[in-house]
Amino acid sequence: QVQLVESGGGLVQAGGSLRLSCVASGRTSSRYPMGWFRQPPGQEREFVAVISWSGGSRDYADSVKGRFTISKDNAKNTVYLQMNSLEPEDTAVYYCAAAPQFPYTLPPARVDAYDYWGQGTQVTVSS
């Protein structure tokens, strides 16, 4: 089983930045594609970003392109989400997730493509 623990959330003013971290543990966790999702209050969980095991392939939701950057450090079993130019619309609980069903390609941007989830970290952006 894979365990994921997010950190780095908090309260920030619009235009500010935060960096989220997700530490993975468990067998072969570092070889899984890793993604970030977010769930605004009262809404469904939505895709934010994904990165391949090697870190060479990335994809982003249109709403965050140019502002967010996903990266990883396999030696530390850690995935990061650098969030710049934050907007109030970015307010959500952010979750990291692992997709062991897709070892060779980036998984699709939907919740059911991911099998393991962290508990989430709150990001609140004030106007």
PDB file of all heavy atoms in Angstrom, residues 60-74:
ATOM      1  N   TYR A  60      -1.193  19.856 -16.990  1.00  0.00           N
ATOM      2  CA  TYR A  60      -1.863  20.744 -16.064  1.00  0.00           C
ATOM      3  C   TYR A  60      -3.285  21.016 -16.508  1.00  0.00           C
ATOM      4  O   TYR A  60      -3.596  20.998 -17.702  1.00  0.00           O
ATOM      5  CB  TYR A  60      -1.136  22.091 -15.974  1.00  0.00           C
ATOM      6  CG  TYR A  60       0.295  22.005 -15.508  1.00  0.00           C
ATOM      7  CD1 TYR A  60       1.332  21.843 -16.412  1.00  0.00           C
ATOM      8  CD2 TYR A  60       0.599  22.100 -14.157  1.00  0.00           C
ATOM      9  CE1 TYR A  60       2.645  21.769 -15.986  1.00  0.00           C
ATOM     10  CE2 TYR A  60       1.912  22.031 -13.720  1.00  0.00           C
ATOM     11  CZ  TYR A  60       2.931  21.863 -14.639  1.00  0.00           C
ATOM     12  OH  TYR A  60       4.234  21.794 -14.207  1.00  0.00           O
ATOM     13  N   ALA A  61      -4.119  21.295 -15.549  1.00  0.00           N
ATOM     14  CA  ALA A  61      -5.432  21.821 -15.873  1.00  0.00           C
ATOM     15  C   ALA A  61      -5.285  23.202 -16.493  1.00  0.00           C
ATOM     16  O   ALA A  61      -4.380  23.968 -16.146  1.00  0.00           O
ATOM     17  CB  ALA A  61      -6.299  21.896 -14.618  1.00  0.00           C
ATOM     18  N   ASP A  62      -6.179  23.527 -17.414  1.00  0.00           N
ATOM     19  CA  ASP A  62      -6.102  24.826 -18.074  1.00  0.00           C
ATOM     20  C   ASP A  62      -6.149  25.979 -17.072  1.00  0.00           C
ATOM     21  O   ASP A  62      -5.519  27.018 -17.285  1.00  0.00           O
ATOM     22  CB  ASP A  62      -7.242  24.977 -19.077  1.00  0.00           C
ATOM     23  CG  ASP A  62      -7.063  24.112 -20.308  1.00  0.00           C
ATOM     24  OD1 ASP A  62      -5.937  23.656 -20.563  1.00  0.00           O
ATOM     25  OD2 ASP A  62      -8.060  23.894 -21.022  1.00  0.00           O
ATOM     26  N   SER A  63      -6.862  25.791 -15.997  1.00  0.00           N
ATOM     27  CA  SER A  63      -7.040  26.857 -15.028  1.00  0.00           C
ATOM     28  C   SER A  63      -5.759  27.231 -14.286  1.00  0.00           C
ATOM     29  O   SER A  63      -5.685  28.313 -13.695  1.00  0.00           O
ATOM     30  CB  SER A  63      -8.121  26.475 -14.016  1.00  0.00           C
ATOM     31  OG  SER A  63      -7.773  25.283 -13.335  1.00  0.00           O
ATOM     32  N   VAL A  64      -4.752  26.356 -14.305  1.00  0.00           N
ATOM     33  CA  VAL A  64      -3.529  26.627 -13.558  1.00  0.00           C
ATOM     34  C   VAL A  64      -2.297  26.725 -14.445  1.00  0.00           C
ATOM     35  O   VAL A  64      -1.203  27.024 -13.935  1.00  0.00           O
ATOM     36  CB  VAL A  64      -3.293  25.574 -12.466  1.00  0.00           C
ATOM     37  CG1 VAL A  64      -4.516  25.444 -11.569  1.00  0.00           C
ATOM     38  CG2 VAL A  64      -2.922  24.224 -13.063  1.00  0.00           C
ATOM     39  N   LYS A  65      -2.421  26.513 -15.736  1.00  0.00           N
ATOM     40  CA  LYS A  65      -1.272  26.586 -16.633  1.00  0.00           C
ATOM     41  C   LYS A  65      -0.633  27.968 -16.578  1.00  0.00           C
ATOM     42  O   LYS A  65      -1.325  28.978 -16.605  1.00  0.00           O
ATOM     43  CB  LYS A  65      -1.685  26.256 -18.063  1.00  0.00           C
ATOM     44  CG  LYS A  65      -1.937  24.788 -18.304  1.00  0.00           C
ATOM     45  CD  LYS A  65      -2.317  24.513 -19.753  1.00  0.00           C
ATOM     46  CE  LYS A  65      -2.533  23.037 -19.985  1.00  0.00           C
ATOM     47  NZ  LYS A  65      -2.973  22.748 -21.369  1.00  0.00           N
ATOM     48  N   GLY A  66       0.677  27.972 -16.490  1.00  0.00           N
ATOM     49  CA  GLY A  66       1.408  29.217 -16.403  1.00  0.00           C
ATOM     50  C   GLY A  66       1.572  29.741 -15.000  1.00  0.00           C
ATOM     51  O   GLY A  66       2.360  30.668 -14.782  1.00  0.00           O
ATOM     52  N   ARG A  67       0.835  29.179 -14.047  1.00  0.00           N
ATOM     53  CA  ARG A  67       0.917  29.621 -12.662  1.00  0.00           C
ATOM     54  C   ARG A  67       1.453  28.551 -11.724  1.00  0.00           C
ATOM     55  O   ARG A  67       2.167  28.860 -10.774  1.00  0.00           O
ATOM     56  CB  ARG A  67      -0.455  30.078 -12.164  1.00  0.00           C
ATOM     57  CG  ARG A  67      -1.043  31.237 -12.955  1.00  0.00           C
ATOM     58  CD  ARG A  67      -2.317  31.767 -12.302  1.00  0.00           C
ATOM     59  NE  ARG A  67      -3.374  30.757 -12.252  1.00  0.00           N
ATOM     60  CZ  ARG A  67      -3.914  30.306 -11.129  1.00  0.00           C
ATOM     61  NH1 ARG A  67      -3.521  30.763  -9.954  1.00  0.00           N
ATOM     62  NH2 ARG A  67      -4.881  29.399 -11.182  1.00  0.00           N
ATOM     63  N   PHE A  68       1.096  27.295 -11.978  1.00  0.00           N
ATOM     64  CA  PHE A  68       1.500  26.191 -11.118  1.00  0.00           C
ATOM     65  C   PHE A  68       2.558  25.353 -11.819  1.00  0.00           C
ATOM     66  O   PHE A  68       2.539  25.198 -13.046  1.00  0.00           O
ATOM     67  CB  PHE A  68       0.314  25.284 -10.785  1.00  0.00           C
ATOM     68  CG  PHE A  68      -0.734  25.892  -9.890  1.00  0.00           C
ATOM     69  CD1 PHE A  68      -0.734  27.237  -9.565  1.00  0.00           C
ATOM     70  CD2 PHE A  68      -1.737  25.082  -9.374  1.00  0.00           C
ATOM     71  CE1 PHE A  68      -1.708  27.780  -8.744  1.00  0.00           C
ATOM     72  CE2 PHE A  68      -2.713  25.609  -8.552  1.00  0.00           C
ATOM     73  CZ  PHE A  68      -2.705  26.961  -8.235  1.00  0.00           C
ATOM     74  N   THR A  69       3.452  24.770 -11.039  1.00  0.00           N
ATOM     75  CA  THR A  69       4.468  23.879 -11.556  1.00  0.00           C
ATOM     76  C   THR A  69       4.556  22.647 -10.670  1.00  0.00           C
ATOM     77  O   THR A  69       4.724  22.765  -9.453  1.00  0.00           O
ATOM     78  CB  THR A  69       5.843  24.554 -11.611  1.00  0.00           C
ATOM     79  OG1 THR A  69       5.777  25.727 -12.421  1.00  0.00           O
ATOM     80  CG2 THR A  69       6.882  23.601 -12.204  1.00  0.00           C
ATOM     81  N   ILE A  70       4.435  21.478 -11.285  1.00  0.00           N
ATOM     82  CA  ILE A  70       4.599  20.231 -10.555  1.00  0.00           C
ATOM     83  C   ILE A  70       6.012  19.705 -10.785  1.00  0.00           C
ATOM     84  O   ILE A  70       6.552  19.801 -11.887  1.00  0.00           O
ATOM     85  CB  ILE A  70       3.532  19.193 -10.975  1.00  0.00           C
ATOM     86  CG1 ILE A  70       3.584  17.963 -10.064  1.00  0.00           C
ATOM     87  CG2 ILE A  70       3.666  18.811 -12.438  1.00  0.00           C
ATOM     88  CD1 ILE A  70       2.424  17.003 -10.259  1.00  0.00           C
ATOM     89  N   SER A  71       6.614  19.175  -9.751  1.00  0.00           N
ATOM     90  CA  SER A  71       7.951  18.613  -9.847  1.00  0.00           C
ATOM     91  C   SER A  71       8.075  17.491  -8.826  1.00  0.00           C
ATOM     92  O   SER A  71       7.192  17.293  -7.990  1.00  0.00           O
ATOM     93  CB  SER A  71       9.024  19.690  -9.613  1.00  0.00           C
ATOM     94  OG  SER A  71       8.903  20.249  -8.318  1.00  0.00           O
ATOM     95  N   LYS A  72       9.177  16.766  -8.901  1.00  0.00           N
ATOM     96  CA  LYS A  72       9.369  15.684  -7.942  1.00  0.00           C
ATOM     97  C   LYS A  72      10.834  15.396  -7.723  1.00  0.00           C
ATOM     98  O   LYS A  72      11.691  15.728  -8.546  1.00  0.00           O
ATOM     99  CB  LYS A  72       8.625  14.414  -8.392  1.00  0.00           C
ATOM    100  CG  LYS A  72       9.241  13.688  -9.559  1.00  0.00           C
ATOM    101  CD  LYS A  72       8.266  12.694 -10.187  1.00  0.00           C
ATOM    102  CE  LYS A  72       7.688  11.704  -9.199  1.00  0.00           C
ATOM    103  NZ  LYS A  72       8.616  10.569  -8.936  1.00  0.00           N
ATOM    104  N   ASP A  73      11.098  14.769  -6.614  1.00  0.00           N
ATOM    105  CA  ASP A  73      12.434  14.332  -6.252  1.00  0.00           C
ATOM    106  C   ASP A  73      12.301  12.871  -5.863  1.00  0.00           C
ATOM    107  O   ASP A  73      11.850  12.550  -4.761  1.00  0.00           O
ATOM    108  CB  ASP A  73      12.981  15.170  -5.099  1.00  0.00           C
ATOM    109  CG  ASP A  73      14.418  14.830  -4.754  1.00  0.00           C
ATOM    110  OD1 ASP A  73      14.880  13.725  -5.080  1.00  0.00           O
ATOM    111  OD2 ASP A  73      15.086  15.678  -4.138  1.00  0.00           O
ATOM    112  N   ASN A  74      12.679  11.991  -6.775  1.00  0.00           N
ATOM    113  CA  ASN A  74      12.504  10.563  -6.528  1.00  0.00           C
ATOM    114  C   ASN A  74      13.339  10.071  -5.351  1.00  0.00           C
ATOM    115  O   ASN A  74      12.928   9.152  -4.641  1.00  0.00           O
ATOM    116  CB  ASN A  74      12.842   9.762  -7.785  1.00  0.00           C
ATOM    117  CG  ASN A  74      11.745   9.808  -8.820  1.00  0.00           C
ATOM    118  OD1 ASN A  74      10.607  10.170  -8.526  1.00  0.00           O
ATOM    119  ND2 ASN A  74      12.080   9.440 -10.049  1.00  0.00           N
TER     120      ASN A  74
END
